[in-house]
Amino acid sequence: MPGSSVSIIEVDKYFGDFHVLKNVSLEIEENEFFSLLGPSGCGKTTLLRIIAGLEDVDDGDVLLDDKSILNLPPNKRPVNTIFQNYALFPHLSVYENIAFPLRLKKFSESEIKRRVDWLLNLVRLEEHAQKKPSQLSGGQKQRVSLARALANEPKVLLLDEPVSALDAKLRQELLIELDNLHDRVGITFIYVTHDQAEAISISDHVAVMNSGVVVQYGTPYEVYESPADTFVANFIGESNLMKGDVVEILSDEYIAVEFPSFGKVICYRDKPVKVDDTVLITLRPEKVRIMHNKPTPSDGIPGNVVHGIVDEVIYMGYQTKYFIKTDEGYILKVYKQHVSYLLDERIIKWKDEVFLYWNPDDSFIVEVEEN
């Protein structure tokens, strides 16, 4: 079941005076798992509906395998859409729900049986073939929707927040199934979600959208580790955002930045800057290490060291979140993963005096204000 490449070329879309999509361009490779990620109202579902043919564009083009599909009605496009509300026929069995699009196309009974049996096996619902949707769990209903969407062997599968109606455990299970299903059928998946954890866990590439604009495109690793701006840094995971002034250019790779919140530290120079520029730096909480004793050069720990007091502790089992108040009153977030039995350690508690340190390579520039 080969997939298609999808090209979004300078697409604009208005709803009345509201500019929903603003000159959006994207390249989605054939057979990849691609995610459109962003908050509600950012335009991601509208873009998905345009690809499906359920919305028109005001300007721009949409190509499948380098051929425009704007003149094709939805039923003539080699795409299928999975919605979050399942959209199953309540009076039909699982088997007949999956067979429905094949019957519309007048497939023979033998071909319908062959395809439906294969799809039931694919989504692990063989034992539920004769059940009605009301007899299924939410995750099982969504798997029926997936099987029905794949029955016509589309080139592109569009998924509009398909797991949002499920509880947390079922969401995770279905995400794993989606990823495995993608690997097995090999077509192009375009997945819409507002959940950053979903997008970065299963995607080959991610486009982060905000207010109708693609603000960053890249692999999950690139988007998470090197956010393009403040919005992405805050939307993808959590981050410490710190504003300071460049006081020294140390090399092509590193700068010294003076922060009012905790003094001078070394940061990675991933954007062009000069002395006296004001920069906004992002530092992920899990990149910061926390300890009772101040590290020394003999510890072999390079990087930045900051002193503070534990202001709040949130224990979560697999990790603890610490909020550390620096000597200047700034709050730094630190996430410590528990990789060994916690009671074997000297536990860091509320009001403890601690030292934080991190590698300069883990702090990135997200904004520059020239002075």
Side-chain angles (χ1 to χ4, degrees):
M1 228 189 265
S4 292
S5 62
V6 180
S7 301
I8 312 298
I9 303 174
E10 298 177 354
V11 165
D12 277 277
K13 176 66 180 178
Y14 290 84
F15 289 137
D17 294 331
F18 181 46
H19 200 175
V20 184
L21 295 173
K22 305 170 185 176
N23 198 40
V24 172
S25 293
L26 284 170
E27 290 293 333
I28 302 170
E29 299 175 7
E30 62 180 36
N31 305 332
E32 82 167 318
F33 201 126
F34 187 93
S35 287
L36 295 168
L37 172 65
S40 298
C42 71
K44 57 188 186 297
T45 294
T46 300
L47 183 57
L48 200 77
R49 291 174 60 83
I50 286 172
I51 298 170
L54 303 176
E55 297 285 354
D56 296 324
V57 301
D58 291 304
D59 200 6
D61 205 350
V62 178
L63 312 181
L64 257 65
D65 294 329
D66 301 322
K67 295 180 181 178
S68 177
I69 59 171
L70 290 186
N71 61 337
L72 296 177
N75 64 319
K76 297 295 183 182
R77 299 187 183 192
V79 305
N80 262 338
T81 307
I82 300 290
F83 299 101
Q84 58 181 314
N85 61 356
Y86 316 129
L88 300 177
F89 298 110
H91 62 290
L92 296 181
S93 67
V94 168
Y95 184 100
E96 289 301 329
N97 263 284
I98 299 171
F100 182 80
L102 301 175
R103 296 197 189 285
L104 285 180
K105 292 192 172 183
K106 310 295 185 185
F107 279 84
S108 68
E109 283 301 316
S110 61
E111 179 62 14
I112 289 174
K113 186 176 187 310
R114 184 190 70 81
R115 290 201 189 190
V116 174
D117 286 347
W118 180 77
L119 288 164
L120 284 168
N121 176 263
L122 188 70
V123 297
R124 298 186 295 107
L125 288 174
E126 306 100 309
E127 297 179 1
H128 305 278
Q130 299 309 316
K131 290 183 179 179
K132 299 293 178 60
S134 61
Q135 298 173 286
L136 303 177
S137 69
Q140 289 170 334
K141 290 176 184 177
Q142 198 57 282
R143 297 211 300 271
V144 177
S145 295
L146 282 165
R148 186 176 63 185
L150 293 170
N152 282 328
E153 298 185 345
K155 301 287 187 180
V156 179
L157 187 63
L158 309 174
L159 302 108
D160 188 9
E161 306 212 38
V163 302
S164 63
L166 306 176
D167 63 42
K169 185 177 180 182
L170 275 177
R171 279 202 305 272
Q172 190 59 44
E173 290 176 357
L174 192 57
L175 280 174
I176 294 170
E177 290 188 17
L178 274 176
D179 199 18
N180 290 333
L181 187 65
H182 173 260
D183 293 340
R184 293 173 67 184
V185 299
I187 64 173
T188 307
F189 279 25
I190 303 178
Y191 185 91
V192 161
T193 182
H194 64 275
D195 188 314
Q196 53 89 15
E198 289 179 12
I200 65 175
S201 65
I202 59 177
S203 306
D204 297 308
H205 288 92
V206 177
V208 184
M209 297 185 67
N210 187 33
S211 301
V213 176
V214 175
V215 291
Q216 188 168 2
Y217 164 87
T219 64
Y221 177 85
E222 291 167 340
V223 172
Y224 183 84
E225 295 286 349
S226 304
D229 60 15
T230 307
F231 171 80
V232 179
N234 280 322
F235 192 75
I236 308 292
E238 295 189 58
S239 190
N240 294 294
L241 291 171
M242 308 168 289
K243 182 174 283 191
D245 297 321
V246 179
V247 293
E248 187 178 355
I249 305 297
L250 301 174
S251 68
D252 290 339
E253 294 187 323
Y254 300 104
I255 56 175
V257 180
E258 185 76 30
F259 292 101
S261 49
F262 44 76
K264 186 168 74 172
V265 299
I266 301 171
C267 301
Y268 187 68
R269 187 186 184 188
D270 57 314
K271 288 181 172 61
V273 292
K274 62 183 185 299
V275 172
D276 292 334
D277 284 349
T278 298
V279 292
L280 187 67
I281 299 292
T282 179
L283 174 66
R284 296 291 187 186
E286 71 274 11
K287 305 293 186 182
V288 184
R289 297 180 64 186
I290 183 170
M291 62 189 304
H292 280 107
N293 300 317
K294 184 176 182 179
T296 64
S298 61
D299 294 326
I301 303 172
N304 302 300
V305 178
V306 170
H307 175 262
I309 302 295
V310 178
D311 191 63
E312 187 174 350
V313 181
I314 302 175
Y315 175 72
M316 303 182 68
Y318 67 97
Q319 72 174 3
T320 297
K321 296 184 177 184
Y322 295 100
F323 295 80
I324 310 303
K325 181 177 287 188
T326 68
D327 294 341
E328 291 78 11
Y330 182 80
I331 299 294
L332 268 173
K333 292 177 286 188
V334 181
Y335 297 168
K336 182 181 180 183
Q337 299 297 121
H338 300 313
V339 296
S340 60
Y341 185 49
L342 188 60
L343 296 182
D344 288 341
E345 304 177 14
R346 180 186 169 193
I347 297 174
I348 296 172
K349 304 184 297 297
W350 181 60
K351 294 299 181 182
D352 276 0
E353 179 181 1
V354 293
F355 292 90
L356 311 178
Y357 55 93
W358 67 90
N359 192 305
D361 290 340
D362 291 326
S363 49
F364 295 91
I365 303 169
V366 289
E367 290 181 7
V368 180
E369 299 175 15
E370 294 187 0
N371 294 319

